[in-house]
Amino acid sequence: MQTLTVDLGDRSYPIHIGPGLLDRAELVAPHLAQKRAMVVTNTTVAPLYLARLTAALEGAGVAVANVVLPDGEAYKNWETLNLVFDALLAGRAERKTTLIALGGGVIGDMTGFAAACYQRGVPFVQIPTTLLSQVDSSVGGKTGINHPLGKNMIGAFYQPKVVLADTDTLKTLPARELSAGLAEVIKYGLIRDAAFLAWLEANMTKLRALDPAAITHAIHRSCEIKAQVVAEDEREGGLRAILNLGHTFGHAIESGMGYGTWLHGEAVAAGMVLAAMASQRLGWLDAADVARTRAIVRAAGLPDAAPELPFETWLEYMGHDKKVEGGRLRFVLLKKLGEAVITGDVSEAVLREILTR
Ligand code: NAD
Ligand code: GLY
């Protein structure tokens, strides 16, 4: 097992990465304020892992309730969130009862938001079971739900007490979902670490085959980069926005196509290629850099081109991005491979050119 820390003063917390962690209740128990927990999961993950986690926690003397939500991005909304509150209230969960998110990013984001709201804040634990959630969404405290007009528009910053990334759970993950997670892994190389990007290029086949050493290194390095950025700028006053490379375009794809049609990671992948193209138009990347971005995205089994949407649809959905300031769109682009910048200097002409080609 490897462990690293998200350094946020008295809200710091460990991320444990390795095989077999679902059975290691001793990693969770010290973070519980009382020996009661409610596991939030979904109809896909529950049959795979809920019984094991419950048995491990009960073995450590923890009373465990659960709520099983419908599965899918399309359910990341108020109605589904309310099912968690219903279960918490019906089960008389208290202020010290811990919510445990068992699942991918949808479950993690909703559980974290429920924890932030229930009785104005109860502790929560992240047990991410997709690659995307192990390298990104379980770390850093962004929680929330979607609105029909915009992705992740309703939410809160709320940090977990501990993150347990059990790499064995990736064995049951469909290949398409594994690729979606690789999009966020590639993102870390593009924004912050050219050497990691080169390592990913050399190891993509191993990663897609879930080679234990390769996948553990990729998760560890990704979490390390994310933890550094979050420690510097927890509430996205500036720097943290670089973690959104490809996301302005990607969120527009997700909303514009209808939630769940494109996976989040797929939309981010196509968005990162668009960001590389825009960076080339601004004279920062050259054609070879854009080709490299496309190639690694493709090697990960991800789309390297955006779907066809009317230009007005792009503008409409990109206009709901959280980086918009004074009505002006802002994008995360690349000064070079391994270095991101946030800029409002992308003209409508450039956008039209890259989005309607
Ligand atoms: P997801 O949660 O929808 O999971 C993908 C699919 O895999 C689901 O069907 C899920 O039930 C299933 N699944 C989960 N674990 C499994 C396993 N071990 N074996 C088999 N199937 C399994 O999607 P995701 O890609 O994990 O997360 C995407 C979500 O995360 C989006 O809503 C996105 O907005 C959010 N996100 C949040 C942050 C953040 O910082 N909070 C960062 C990135 C993404
Ligand atoms: N996934 C972007 C962030 O956590 O800031």
Side-chain angles (χ1 to χ4, degrees):
M1 181 178 86
Q2 299 190 11
T3 299
L4 57 122
T5 302
V6 184
D7 199 352
L8 291 169
D10 60 1
R11 290 173 301 113
S12 297
Y13 53 94
I15 305 169
H16 302 298
I17 303 160
L21 301 194
L22 275 184
D23 303 314
R24 306 267 309 266
E26 79 276 13
L27 299 173
V28 175
H31 300 280
L32 303 181
Q34 66 177 182
K35 291 213 157 189
R36 273 188 78 186
M38 161 91 66
V39 178
V40 182
T41 186
N42 71 24
T43 48
T44 304
V45 179
L48 294 168
Y49 301 117
L50 180 58
R52 244 177 82 196
L53 177 65
T54 304
L57 289 167
E58 286 178 348
V62 180
V64 188
N66 68 66
V67 55
V68 180
L69 304 178
D71 181 12
E73 185 73 37
Y75 293 99
K76 189 177 165 183
N77 57 24
W78 277 119
E79 288 72 25
T80 314
L81 187 71
N82 239 339
L83 299 177
V84 181
F85 297 133
D86 291 348
L88 287 166
L89 284 160
R92 296 184 186 277
E94 299 173 0
R95 190 169 272 164
K96 288 186 174 175
T97 304
T98 296
L99 297 199
I100 301 181
L102 175 70
V106 169
I107 286 295
D109 281 12
M110 282 201 294
T111 307
F113 189 37
C117 299
Y118 184 66
Q119 298 202 12
R120 302 196 185 89
V122 296
F124 97 106
V125 166
Q126 287 271 21
I127 306 191
T129 60
T130 62
L131 180 61
L132 186 140
S133 55
Q134 294 185 354
V135 298
D136 194 348
S137 61
S138 65
V139 174
K142 279 191 183 176
T143 72
I145 55 172
N146 299 327
H147 186 278
L149 291 178
K151 265 284 286 181
N152 296 332
M153 275 291 156
I154 321 291
F157 286 99
Y158 198 66
Q159 302 291 344
K161 298 292 181 197
V162 58
V163 180
L164 238 63
D166 183 337
T167 49
D168 279 343
T169 60
L170 302 179
K171 291 176 186 163
T172 54
L173 196 62
R176 186 178 168 199
E177 298 289 352
L178 187 73
S179 290
L182 287 169
E184 304 281 8
V185 176
I186 293 167
K187 174 189 81 180
Y188 294 112
L190 287 171
I191 59 171
R192 201 104 160 149
D193 188 345
F196 184 48
L197 183 68
W199 182 87
L200 290 171
E201 287 171 325
N203 288 278
M204 193 50 80
T205 309
K206 282 186 181 174
L207 289 169
R208 292 185 72 183
L210 286 180
D211 173 85
I215 203 76
T216 304
H217 175 68
I219 296 169
H220 187 269
R221 183 63 191 134
S222 298
C223 287
E224 211 166 49
I225 293 174
K226 180 146 189 186
Q228 282 166 2
V229 172
V230 168
E232 272 184 59
D233 178 21
E234 183 186 5
R235 289 178 167 252
E236 203 165 309
L239 175 74
R240 183 166 178 166
I242 67 170
L243 297 173
N244 282 318
L245 176 71
H247 286 56
T248 306
F249 299 116
H251 286 166
I253 294 172
E254 283 185 86
S255 310
M257 299 297 285
Y259 295 125
T261 310
W262 279 52
L263 300 182
H264 176 73
E266 293 171 339
V268 166
M272 291 193 297
V273 173
L274 291 168
M277 289 164 68
S279 307
Q280 185 187 7
R281 297 300 182 285
L282 295 185
W284 294 331
L285 296 191
D286 60 25
D289 294 326
V290 177
R292 242 181 107 184
T293 308
R294 265 188 203 290
I296 190 162
V297 158
R298 255 202 316 266
L302 290 160
D304 66 345
E308 280 188 26
L309 288 171
F311 187 59
E312 292 63 38
T313 304
W314 282 106
L315 289 186
E316 160 73 12
Y317 284 110
M318 291 194 305
H320 288 296
D321 189 76
K322 289 189 283 304
K323 290 185 292 305
V324 169
E325 252 180 33
R328 190 165 183 226
L329 287 174
R330 294 187 315 135
F331 292 87
V332 182
L333 298 186
L334 296 170
K335 273 273 174 189
K336 57 183 186 186
L337 296 184
E339 187 184 327
V341 284
I342 302 151
T343 178
D345 289 341
V346 185
S347 68
E348 193 168 315
V350 166
L351 286 177
R352 192 178 285 279
E353 193 192 326
I354 63 172
L355 291 170
T356 57
R357 267 154 61 107

